[in-house]
Amino acid sequence: MKRRARSLWSIVLFVALLLQTFGLTAVPQNNALAANDSSVQAAADYGLPSKTSDGVIFHAWNWSFDNITRNLPALAAAGFKSVQTSPVQPTKEGSTDGSKWWLLYQPTHFSVGNTQLGSRDQFKKMCDEAQKYGISIIVDVVANHTSNAGGGSSTYIPGTNVDPAIRNNPYFWHEARGVENWNDRWQVTQWGIGLPDLNTSNQELQNMIINFLNDAISLGADGFRFDAAKHIELPDDPNGSASNFWPRVLGSLNNKNNLYIYGEVLQGGADRFAAYANYINLAAPTYGHNVRNAVGFGSAINVNSATSFNANDVNPSKLVTWVESHDTYANDSKETTGMNDWQIKMGWSIIAARAQTTSLFFDRPVGGGTLGQVGSTLWQDSDVTAVNKFHNAMAGQGEYLRTQGNQIMLIERGTKGMTIVNLGGDTYINSNTNLASGTYINQASGGGTFTVSGGKITGNLGGGKIAVLYEAATPTPTISINVAEGSFYTDTLAVKMTLSNADSASYSVNNATETVFRSGDTVTLGAGASFGTSFVLKIKANNSAGQTVKTYTFVKDDANAALKVHYYKPSSWSTPNIYYYDATVTPKKEGAAWPGTAMTSEGDNWYSYSISGWRQAKVIFNSGSNQIPGAEQEGYSISGEKWIKDGAIYSQNPDVVRPTISIDQPEGTFSGDSLGVTVTYQNANNATYTLNGSAAVPITSGQKITIGAGDAAGTVYSLVVVAANAKTSTTATYTFTKQTSSKDITVHYYKPSSWGTPNIYYYDETVTPKKEGAAWPGVAMTNEGGGWYSYKISGWNQAKVIFNSNGQQIPVSEQPGYLVTQNSWIKDGIVAGQQPESSTVPVTFTIKDASTNLGQKLYISGNIAELGNWDPAKAIGPASNPNHPDWTITINLPVGKSIQFKAIKKDGSGNVVWEGGDNHTYTVSASSPAVDLYFHN
């Protein structure tokens, strides 16, 4: 976990716990696709896969948004599909001291932008630019806790600058104490880990988190990494600790099918590691430890340590693997700080060459550094980039691992490529292979060639080197320009056009005649044009692999506009100065020279300044030797009127507490004659409501409004609630439709293996009075075979369902049932609209060159029940041999399972001949369900 700050002051806060009522929502598994066609094409231009999950992630730890933006071309060229940011939420302090990296894990608010990394606008600019390269942006999210008020007795007390809407709500907090027994699941999810623990079961708090995540998505985020995910409860956690956080929050995200989401679930104690895989992908910390051992960090070199993922049988496609993480590098124990670059590079070559998993490359900071600065350049090493490109080119290919002793691993991907990692001295490779015959040129720095002939690969590999072998496709042309799209404020704008991998290129402006150009040429736009004129620059580049087309839009604009900036100064500052400039124009425009102009006090630590004649600017605040953003960082991007506080940019004063409004019913359709809607509001002195444009009616918080009585089916209702206080008001609009007809819903349920025939109990509490089917325990379901049971609920539009058998029930007591609105399949807590695919896949084994004596046949024996648990009497077979001496056999095996096995020969008398050599290994893959091997005599 994260190291926490130690402070000296203390605050006493009584934290109450309210058990929340919640409902479960089906959560689609992450498909992790690129966001749209343009980003898919951009990814192809740079040789990147379209799916986030098929690529590798660059962890730009502590990098500012602007530094990420500047390095996107190089990151794409290095083969990184995704960039993971540090947490983007506002932090408890404005310090940019690199030793205080943990500040980023002590948030005060659920919003985008902080002093250390940059503003909301800078975040959006980064995301927009990333899309041009087909790069996905993954945001580190802190949803489990906030900043604290200090050490000692204040460790579990929220900091004074935590958002008041969070800090002052007693129902948003768990008990103010830390975990004492890591094997106690209640403590792990309900007590703190060195910081104030948020009550993530509270649906109002969940709504804040959902709104924050959807805001990040609207700005361009393509996925999330959940910090401390192990400490956010699951829907089936025991002893009343369960909540619907994961299905409800993830199910409420916009564009959810295209997001890549994973979480930090540290293995050990009451981790429930495999259960989290039902909702999110998972980091694989134990495997990282094993990889470090494999390359000789903390133990003798032994590549065999890096074969098994040791991930509680979680399918490898659900794992994020790494050599080291920011925690192992920077935490108090500094577990991996002593690793050298060679060990990191060799470990990366192992994990990033493998199939199915998504690997993350952690970028170490340089020295103590400053938060926001770029880190080490090891990510640009030629071997790192060679393995990245190999990983991308091998997307969808299966995996076969071979080892030569303890120092050499051969990672074969289908029949298309292989990476060889040599942790020892100079060596001669001579191994079986499935690669097509031919000569392969090493794409890595070790150079040389390898020959494949007759199912064998041979070649020389230097000590401590890697070989990356495959036929690399010719990359498509890439195009870039030196200025940002959008408005420019001078008479002309010079755009420099740069190409790579291009044989020819041309450009046109506003669809005029195309002009041929060379890389580095400049086109000038805007001369003499009126304000508001748009210029569309289209660039085409060609080579033998195809054509790339890029379109850029610019607008000549009038600089005569007005900006107003409000700034909440740190308490230790005197009157702040504002320095402002605009770098989007040439030459760069600035206001008064550094340190700028003194701002005007508005009271309560707020200061303001109006910038006449400007439509946009970047602003930096300073007082004495202090400045925010820090040295070498760009200013906050401003347009219109903005308020800036604690690194976050707002469109209105954040210190003005706005009323909040909520209702107890979901919007949409309702059945029955009427619907009762209870309206609740906070931070308001009064409120009114209107229904379908009627006159406003005063309403008190907690009052119920009944709609629909006596109206015709199909009537639509618009309920508008306005709540006000002395400073501001909030308006909320809710829409309902009286259901026109009822329908049938068939529920399919996959029962636990220990249950008998399950009963289904179903009810609907959205109508008054509450409607239910048969009284508890409900109705026996019908056996469909294969563990599935079904029941048809006739004449209902929706229902909540609970399953039970012999005193056991799911969901457990005091939890609401699963919500179903259509034919549904429910398995392991997941509600789906179609039957889940089988968890097994038929795998075909081909055993080559296995000569037999009269009466002998070939079988497969291995370390799992499906292969007989090494008992030759239970071995699977016999195999068929239409092409003697080659044998084939197909066996149904569990997807994602890592197995060890051997071929054996048996005759009718039970005599057994075991295959020699090491056990074969294979991770069962639905995308590559085939294993070829030679019988080792």
Side-chain angles (χ1 to χ4, degrees):
M1 303 314 298
K2 314 294 178 295
R3 190 179 71 188
R4 311 302 178 187
R6 300 173 177 88
S7 303
L8 300 177
W9 65 92
S10 65
I11 298 174
V12 177
L13 176 67
F14 174 76
V15 179
L17 177 66
L18 177 65
L19 297 177
Q20 297 293 313
T21 301
F22 51 82
L24 297 180
T25 306
V27 181
Q29 295 299 306
N30 297 319
N31 294 322
L33 300 175
N36 53 46
D37 290 342
S38 64
S39 62
V40 171
Q41 182 57 55
D45 291 346
Y46 290 90
L48 304 177
S50 60
K51 291 184 179 181
T52 303
S53 55
D54 284 341
V56 291
I57 304 170
F58 178 74
H59 189 181
W61 193 56
N62 296 341
W63 286 34
S64 70
F65 304 144
D66 287 343
N67 274 329
I68 293 174
T69 302
R70 280 189 282 268
N71 281 275
L72 286 169
L75 288 163
F80 287 101
K81 169 60 182 174
S82 307
V83 174
Q84 179 177 311
T85 71
S86 289
V88 303
Q89 296 150 255
T91 59
K92 66 184 291 184
E93 296 177 23
S95 173
T96 56
D97 181 349
S99 67
K100 294 185 176 182
W101 62 270
W102 39 263
L103 284 174
L104 291 162
Y105 293 89
Q106 293 206 32
T108 60
H109 203 282
F110 286 112
S111 61
V112 176
N114 58 47
T115 300
Q116 291 80 11
L117 305 186
S119 69
R120 188 174 186 273
D121 287 344
Q122 288 166 311
F123 177 83
K124 185 179 189 305
K125 175 184 175 183
M126 173 190 68
C127 294
D128 290 345
E129 193 68 15
Q131 184 173 319
K132 298 176 184 177
Y133 297 92
I135 289 178
S136 302
I137 297 297
I138 298 174
V139 175
D140 203 349
V141 173
V142 184
N144 175 67
H145 54 260
T146 68
S147 70
N148 62 17
S153 61
S154 297
T155 298
Y156 297 102
I157 305 302
T160 55
N161 58 351
V162 170
D163 179 6
I166 300 173
R167 185 183 70 243
N168 297 334
N169 190 328
Y171 304 121
F172 280 7
W173 302 98
H174 282 145
E175 187 175 356
R177 62 187 300 181
V179 176
E180 298 166 359
N181 178 5
W182 292 94
N183 293 311
D184 185 328
R185 182 68 181 167
W186 169 270
Q187 292 189 27
V188 167
T189 62
Q190 305 298 306
W191 292 357
I193 51 173
L195 288 168
D197 202 58
L198 287 167
N199 176 18
T200 41
S201 69
N202 184 286
Q203 293 201 12
E204 187 178 350
L205 178 64
Q206 289 177 10
N207 291 341
M208 287 187 174
I209 297 170
I210 290 167
N211 290 338
F212 161 60
L213 298 177
N214 277 332
D215 184 43
I217 292 167
S218 73
L219 297 175
D222 302 290
F224 302 101
R225 178 254 185 197
F226 278 87
D227 180 65
K230 171 180 175 178
H231 305 283
I232 299 177
E233 58 282 340
L234 290 165
D236 60 344
D237 270 337
N239 303 321
S241 63
S243 90
N244 65 342
F245 178 91
W246 295 108
R248 184 171 186 267
V249 170
L250 301 186
S252 301
L253 298 185
N254 300 329
N255 197 34
K256 58 190 172 222
N257 291 334
N258 294 328
L259 300 175
Y260 186 81
I261 298 175
Y262 81 102
E264 177 194 35
V265 179
L266 297 183
Q267 292 168 272
D271 59 30
R272 300 208 62 205
F273 189 82
Y276 280 94
N278 292 322
Y279 304 96
I280 55 176
N281 300 304
L282 298 170
T286 298
Y287 183 61
H289 174 79
N290 294 344
V291 170
R292 295 192 291 272
N293 285 346
V295 299
F297 181 70
S299 67
I301 289 174
N302 186 350
V303 292
N304 294 287
S305 300
T307 56
S308 173
F309 290 108
N310 292 113
N312 302 68
D313 292 326
V314 170
N315 191 304
S317 66
K318 298 284 292 182
L319 299 178
V320 174
T321 56
W322 61 48
V323 178
E324 64 174 345
S325 71
H326 71 275
D327 277 326
T328 64
Y329 174 80
N331 227 341
D332 286 338
S333 61
K334 299 188 183 300
E335 181 181 347
T336 64
T337 307
M339 286 192 79
N340 60 44
D341 284 354
W342 178 82
Q343 290 169 328
I344 294 171
K345 183 168 68 172
M346 301 307 276
W348 179 251
S349 300
I350 292 174
I351 68 171
R354 296 194 64 176
Q356 293 189 277
T357 68
T358 306
S359 300
L360 177 143
F361 188 96
F362 167 67
D363 187 56
R364 292 177 163 191
V366 177
T370 300
L371 298 180
Q373 287 184 337
V374 298
S376 163
T377 59
L378 183 61
W379 60 275
Q380 295 177 297
D381 180 272
S382 59
D383 288 341
V384 172
T385 61
V387 175
N388 291 352
K389 294 175 181 179
F390 173 85
H391 180 102
N392 297 335
M394 295 298 113
Q397 297 297 312
E399 168 186 283
Y400 194 92
L401 302 183
R402 294 181 174 89
T403 59
Q404 288 186 195
N406 292 336
Q407 297 180 328
I408 298 172
M409 177 180 284
L410 298 88
I411 305 164
E412 192 167 85
R413 299 294 301 276
T415 60
K416 294 190 175 182
M418 176 186 290
T419 290
I420 307 172
V421 181
N422 178 15
L423 301 176
D426 293 354
T427 190
Y428 179 69
I429 301 297
N430 184 1
S431 172
N432 294 328
T433 184
N434 295 315
L435 296 186
S437 295
T439 300
Y440 293 79
I441 300 173
N442 185 2
Q443 308 288 327
S445 64
T449 61
F450 290 76
T451 301
V452 175
S453 178
K456 294 279 187 179
I457 182 169
T458 57
N460 294 301
L461 184 57
K465 297 290 185 179
I466 66 170
V468 176
L469 310 175
Y470 67 109
E471 184 177 350
T474 302
T476 55
T478 60
I479 301 167
S480 62
I481 60 175
N482 67 323
V483 294
E485 292 183 82
S487 297
F488 64 96
Y489 300 91
T490 51
D491 184 50
T492 61
L493 177 69
V495 182
K496 181 179 178 181
M497 300 170 290
T498 303
L499 309 169
S500 62
N501 305 316
D503 297 328
S504 63
S506 64
Y507 73 86
S508 64
V509 178
N510 291 344
N511 292 319
T513 304
E514 293 185 0
T515 301
V516 175
F517 76 97
R518 294 179 298 179
S519 182
D521 286 352
T522 297
V523 58
T524 300
L525 310 174
S530 59
F531 294 135
T533 302
S534 295
F535 300 90
V536 179
L537 173 64
K538 180 182 288 187
I539 305 174
K540 299 178 180 179
N542 306 277
N543 68 9
S544 60
Q547 182 183 76
T548 298
V549 179
K550 295 283 188 180
T551 301
Y552 306 94
T553 302
F554 307 89
V555 179
K556 185 174 181 179
D557 218 335
D558 185 358
N560 294 322
L563 298 176
K564 187 168 185 179
V565 183
H566 306 261
Y567 181 59
Y568 189 89
K569 76 173 185 68
S571 57
S572 61
W573 284 22
S574 57
T575 297
N577 300 310
I578 181 173
Y579 169 76
Y580 55 97
Y581 64 96
D582 185 356
T584 67
V585 296
T586 304
K588 169 183 171 182
K589 181 171 67 170
E590 64 178 343
W594 184 265
T597 307
M599 302 184 73
T600 301
S601 175
E602 297 179 314
D604 296 326
N605 278 336
W606 283 100
Y607 288 75
S608 65
Y609 185 78
S610 294
I611 305 174
S612 300
W614 289 47
R615 179 170 294 181
Q616 65 178 20
K618 291 191 174 179
V619 295
I620 298 174
F621 306 98
N622 62 89
S623 175
S625 61
N626 300 304
Q627 75 172 71
I628 295 176
E632 307 303 322
Q633 294 192 40
E634 291 187 3
Y636 299 118
S637 294
I638 299 298
S639 60
E641 185 173 13
K642 293 293 187 292
W643 283 257
I644 302 175
K645 181 178 181 181
D646 298 332
I649 301 176
Y650 303 90
S651 296
Q652 56 191 12
N653 189 334
D655 287 350
V656 174
V657 179
R658 302 187 65 84
T660 60
I661 303 169
S662 61
I663 61 174
D664 67 339
Q665 299 289 350
E667 292 185 80
T669 59
F670 66 94
S671 55
D673 184 52
S674 64
L675 175 69
V677 181
T678 300
V679 177
T680 305
Y681 56 83
Q682 294 179 321
N683 304 317
N685 301 326
N686 56 79
T688 62
Y689 77 89
T690 61
L691 187 63
N692 288 352
S694 64
V697 178
I699 186 173
T700 58
S701 183
Q703 183 176 331
K704 179 181 287 188
I705 302 168
T706 300
I707 62 177
D711 293 336
T715 302
V716 178
Y717 304 88
S718 177
L719 174 64
V720 179
V721 182
V722 179
N725 59 29
K727 292 187 177 181
T728 188
S729 65
T730 298
T731 301
T733 302
Y734 307 97
T735 303
F736 307 90
T737 302
K738 191 170 183 178
Q739 188 65 260
T740 57
S741 62
S742 58
K743 59 186 178 182
D744 294 339
I745 301 171
T746 300
V747 180
H748 306 261
Y749 180 59
Y750 191 88
K751 75 174 183 68
S753 58
S754 61
W755 281 22
T757 298
N759 300 311
I760 181 173
Y761 169 77
Y762 56 98
Y763 63 97
D764 183 1
E765 57 188 2
T766 67
V767 296
T768 304
K770 170 184 172 182
K771 181 170 64 171
E772 64 179 343
W776 183 266
V779 183
M781 303 184 73
T782 301
N783 190 347
E784 296 181 308
W788 286 97
Y789 288 74
S790 66
Y791 183 78
K792 179 186 287 187
I793 303 174
S794 298
W796 290 44
N797 295 301
Q798 66 176 37
K800 288 186 176 179
V801 295
I802 298 174
F803 306 97
N804 62 90
S805 174
N806 299 324
Q808 301 180 70
Q809 72 175 71
I810 294 176
V812 297
S813 179
E814 304 303 323
Q815 291 192 33
Y818 299 117
L819 175 65
V820 293
T821 58
Q822 60 181 350
N823 294 342
S824 301
W825 281 258
I826 303 175
K827 180 180 180 182
D828 299 329
I830 301 297
V831 182
Q834 59 186 11
Q835 184 170 354
E837 295 180 1
S838 171
S839 58
T840 64
V841 63
V843 178
T844 299
F845 293 78
T846 301
I847 307 101
K848 300 179 179 180
D849 199 20
S851 300
T852 56
N853 297 324
L854 185 63
Q856 285 182 324
K857 293 185 180 296
L858 263 291
Y859 296 76
I860 297 291
S861 182
N863 66 333
I864 60 175
E866 290 84 350
L867 298 178
N869 285 324
W870 296 119
D871 183 350
K874 297 179 181 178
I876 309 304
S880 61
N881 63 334
N883 300 306
H884 192 81
D886 294 348
W887 301 71
T888 61
I889 183 172
T890 299
I891 308 169
N892 286 325
L893 297 175
V895 174
K897 188 75 172 180
S898 296
I899 64 172
Q900 297 184 33
F901 66 94
K902 281 189 174 182
I904 64 174
K905 300 175 183 178
K906 289 201 304 183
D907 60 21
S909 301
N911 298 310
V912 177
V913 178
W914 285 90
E915 185 182 11
D918 295 334
N919 298 334
H920 301 287
T921 60
Y922 168 65
T923 299
V924 181
S925 168
S927 62
S928 183
V931 179
D932 292 345
L933 61 136
Y934 285 86
F935 191 97
H936 297 303
N937 294 306

